[in-house]
Amino acid sequence: FGATHSEVATVQINLANCLHNRGRDKEALNILLPALGVMESSGNPNDPDLAITLIGLANIYSDTEEFGKAKSNLERARSIIE
């Protein structure tokens, strides 16, 4: 497995969620954004797991008061779910 493997991305997303839950949002973003890129490039653009990841990203942006970024990620997740 390498840094661009989907299973590695999944582990990184889980780690980012743990970091976010501990209030370490900058570290979470540094891990989550590249992992999201892997998901986007290697998977189905309508994958529910992608929507869940986008919601997690939106939560981080909301907690860091980057509401525009939070909204755009939530809207993107919504379009996948619907």
Side-chain angles (χ1 to χ4, degrees):
F1 299 109
T4 59
H5 193 279
S6 63
E7 289 186 34
V8 173
T10 299
V11 171
Q12 290 173 324
I13 290 164
N14 290 335
L15 175 59
N17 288 331
C18 291
L19 289 168
H20 170 64
N21 289 337
R22 297 186 53 81
R24 296 165 61 180
D25 294 326
K26 185 175 180 179
E27 291 172 89
L29 282 174
N30 287 337
I31 293 171
L32 182 59
L33 292 173
L36 178 61
V38 170
M39 282 188 76
E40 291 171 326
S41 67
S42 66
N44 175 356
N46 295 315
D47 185 348
D49 288 336
L50 178 58
I52 291 168
T53 302
L54 291 167
I55 291 168
L57 180 58
N59 286 332
I60 295 172
Y61 282 137
S62 178
D63 288 350
T64 58
E65 298 183 358
E66 296 182 68
F67 300 116
K69 290 180 181 180
K71 181 180 177 185
S72 66
N73 281 285
L74 287 173
E75 288 171 346
R76 189 167 163 217
R78 181 180 175 190
S79 72
I80 294 169
I81 293 168
E82 291 181 335

